[in-house]
Amino acid sequence: MALTEKAISTIKHMISSGELRPGQRLPPEKELAALLGLSRNSLREAVKALEIINVLEVRRGDGTFVTSLEPRLLLEAMSFSTEVHDAEFLLQVMGTRRVLEFYAVTMAVPHIGPETIARLRASIASVEDHEDVDALVKHDMEFHQLIISFCGNDYMASLIESLSGRTLRARTWRGLTQHGSVERTLFEHEQLVDAIAAGDALLAGTIVSAHISGVEQWLRHAGQEQKTSDVDTHS
């Protein structure tokens, strides 16, 4: 295992140093193993590990390549892990998203102009005419992504998008079960756009933080109700 970890570390260093670049083909296995002073088995294990986290891509019959290394691609493995955890873990995901999105929104506000503000208002208006949960969730995803895209930090934007995508089921569940969730979400979005239009970055960040916190509180309450129901069922 130590040799495999050494191989992983060495390959990662070659990438971070620029010796291997996005999209570049790695040297043939025999050549690379000799270069690193490792057995071919250790090298293969390292390549498998880096393939799992989307750092490397093995193309059968063509060789092994460094991926594009785009943030969205690298975050896919983490996205999968959040998908398979329970409500308690989902609360941790929501809390992380709340903290990150507060900063991302405050960073984005100075760069959002009238055209984008008009798009945000149009997005809200597109849902106001009908209380369809699917339309609301779609609007919610696109609304937040549009704002975050102006934060100036592609990695943060991709991370928030990844975390947001993993809470999609919870937000749909809330829309179906909590009375007034559609109106509440749209009202909070309107407040957020008003703050952005006024150029008040701190207020906008505070509003989005409270907005996400509302979903957290609902999820926590729903989880407690489910636990109580499970106890009653098995008692």
Side-chain angles (χ1 to χ4, degrees):
M1 180 60 71
L3 290 175
T4 300
E5 291 174 355
K6 177 184 175 183
I8 292 172
S9 178
T10 303
I11 294 172
K12 287 168 63 178
H13 175 72
M14 292 171 71
I15 293 171
S16 62
S17 68
E19 187 176 349
L20 287 173
R21 296 176 180 172
Q24 184 175 342
R25 184 179 185 275
L26 271 65
E29 183 183 87
K30 183 177 180 180
E31 180 182 332
L32 184 58
L35 179 66
L36 300 180
L38 299 168
S39 70
R40 294 173 73 171
N41 283 338
S42 294
L43 178 61
R44 286 170 189 162
E45 290 300 319
V47 168
K48 285 180 183 177
L50 292 170
E51 184 180 18
I52 289 172
I53 60 173
N54 293 332
V55 171
L56 297 180
E57 177 187 3
V58 178
R59 303 176 190 171
R60 305 303 172 190
D62 197 16
T64 301
F65 294 77
V66 180
T67 66
S68 65
L69 301 179
E70 293 179 357
R72 186 190 305 273
L73 184 65
L74 297 178
L75 288 166
E76 283 182 359
M78 186 195 71
S79 298
F80 175 76
S81 70
T82 59
E83 182 73 29
V84 298
H85 282 80
D86 59 15
E88 187 61 35
F89 187 82
L90 191 56
L91 278 169
Q92 296 178 27
V93 173
M94 292 293 299
T96 303
R97 177 194 165 196
R98 171 168 44 82
V99 172
L100 289 176
E101 195 153 344
F102 170 84
Y103 286 105
V105 168
T106 60
M107 293 163 62
V109 168
H111 307 290
I112 297 177
E115 183 178 339
T116 302
I117 290 171
R119 287 177 60 190
L120 291 169
R121 294 197 190 283
S123 178
I124 295 171
S126 70
V127 188
E128 286 178 329
D129 293 336
H130 51 89
E131 298 184 4
D132 179 78
V133 173
D134 289 338
L136 174 69
V137 173
K138 182 175 183 292
H139 152 74
D140 190 54
M141 291 284 292
E142 294 175 349
F143 180 86
H144 285 269
Q145 287 171 11
L146 178 57
I147 295 171
I148 297 305
S149 67
F150 287 89
C151 75
N153 186 319
D154 291 341
Y155 185 83
M156 182 182 289
S158 293
L159 179 55
I160 292 171
E161 183 178 344
S162 175
L163 293 172
S164 178
R166 295 312 100 197
T167 61
L168 184 63
R169 291 180 183 177
R171 302 209 302 283
T172 302
W173 182 21
R174 182 196 188 200
L176 290 169
T177 60
Q178 186 180 46
H179 176 70
S181 64
V182 174
E183 296 92 335
R184 184 180 297 107
T185 297
L186 295 178
F187 175 70
E188 290 169 353
H189 282 185
E190 287 171 353
Q191 289 184 310
L192 179 55
V193 176
D194 287 343
I196 294 172
D200 194 329
L202 181 57
L203 177 59
T206 302
I207 290 171
V208 81
S209 181
H211 175 61
I212 297 170
S213 181
V215 183
E216 284 183 85
Q217 291 173 11
W218 170 83
L219 183 61
R220 185 175 291 107
H221 179 69
Q224 290 171 347
E225 285 189 338
Q226 183 61 48
K227 287 180 180 178
T228 301
S229 175
D230 290 344
V231 170
D232 291 342
T233 301
H234 292 93
S235 59

